[in-house]
Amino acid sequence: MKIVVTNVFVDDQAAALEFYTEKLGFEVSADVPVGEDRWLTVRSPEQPGGPDLLLEPSGHPAVGPYKRALVADGIPDLSLAVDDVRGEYERLTGLGVKFTQEPTEMGPVTTAVLDDTCGNLIQLAQHHEAAAA
Amino acid sequence: MADDVFKALADPTRRAILDELRERDGQTLFELCGRLAMRHGSSASRQAISQHLAVLEAAGLVRTRREGRYKFHDFDPAPLEHLLDRWLGDDGDDGSAVAPDGRD
């Protein structure tokens, strides 16, 4: 068994595509019309074999309240591994990205949390052992 | 109000929350939970931390502010200053001075 696709619910697929590609640096993996929406996935250039991240529409009525409650408490939907969390923090704030948590050392990991502008928070995590290896 | 402050301070997790907020104001519940788990070895659940924050807020030691869609928590030391004034203040009152009342 392996993880091939995971998802985030995004308020606006076009805005999400722009954010995840132009700000975060992912590449489009699939973009197929499905009814009024799209099957829209992105992938990290550092992981050519996947997994894919599905930028899924937030239309279901349960999604809005769920997302709002998580965002209010600062809880991220997704965690991304980075080599240099402070460097990413500087780079992304320079691009206008808003963080709800600045880089903070939490034992073996330094984390930061950003807003994807589509109703989700995303954690960046730098594992210190991995960086030293 | 003084009773609320002493009650709030009587718990080690709540004191740790104040330690962490003193280091950086404006934390989300998520950030506080991470700091408590990683730096203080706390095994309290998110719900438990949320309840601790409510106790601190009732005592006036923590303020919660909404900024857009986020909820941030700040440390407010004012109730502590009022408490200490009761014994350390130089206003010459005898020990029966009234504790700070309902204000913050």
Side-chain angles (χ1 to χ4, degrees), chain B:
Chain B
M1 202 59 186
D3 287 348
D4 288 343
V5 176
F6 283 120
K7 182 186 158 211
L9 294 173
D11 181 274
T13 302
R14 291 198 285 271
R15 293 195 296 272
I17 289 173
L18 296 185
D19 290 340
E20 293 302 324
L21 286 178
R22 186 160 185 257
E23 186 181 303
R24 183 198 288 161
D25 259 337
Q27 292 185 45
T28 62
L29 175 64
F30 178 77
E31 177 173 356
L32 271 171
C33 290
R35 285 168 172 253
L36 292 169
M38 300 311 296
R39 298 177 171 192
H40 298 267
S42 164
S43 56
S45 68
R46 233 172 238 162
Q47 270 314 104
I49 303 295
S50 184
Q51 283 161 14
H52 283 309
L53 279 169
V55 174
L56 289 165
E57 200 173 353
L61 291 164
V62 166
R63 290 172 182 280
T64 299
R65 73 187 140 90
R66 278 245 168 211
E67 196 179 303
R69 296 174 305 118
Y70 327 116
K71 215 163 65 183
F72 292 115
H73 304 279
D74 298 323
F75 174 44
D76 185 349
L80 297 178
E81 289 160 7
H82 295 160
L83 270 192
L84 293 182
D85 277 350
R86 173 169 171 177
W87 289 291
L88 301 182
D90 54 6
D91 57 6
D93 269 352
D94 63 13
S96 67
V98 181
D101 59 15
R103 285 193 56 254
D104 296 318

Side-chain angles (χ1 to χ4, degrees), chain A residues 6-13 16 20 40 53-68 70-71 77-78 115-122, chain B residues 69:
Chain A
T6 184
N7 75 313
V8 286
F9 288 107
V10 297
D11 295 342
D12 178 326
Q13 284 189 303
Y20 281 81
L40 176 61
L53 178 64
L54 175 65
L55 305 177
E56 185 164 6
S58 289
H60 190 285
V63 173
Y66 163 80
K67 287 172 68 175
R68 279 193 293 279
L70 292 186
V71 169
D77 243 29
L78 184 69
D115 187 324
D116 79 347
T117 71
C118 297
N120 305 290
L121 299 178
I122 297 177
Chain B
R69 296 174 305 118

Side-chain angles (χ1 to χ4, degrees), chain A residues 15-16 18 25-26 28-30 32 37 42-43 47-48 59 83 95 102 105 107 110 116 120 123 127 130:
Chain A
E18 188 179 322
F26 291 135
V28 176
S29 171
V32 182
D37 299 314
V42 295
R43 186 178 287 193
Q47 286 179 299
D83 294 332
L95 293 173
E102 296 168 27
E105 208 175 306
T110 300
D116 79 347
N120 305 290
Q123 181 174 66
H127 291 265

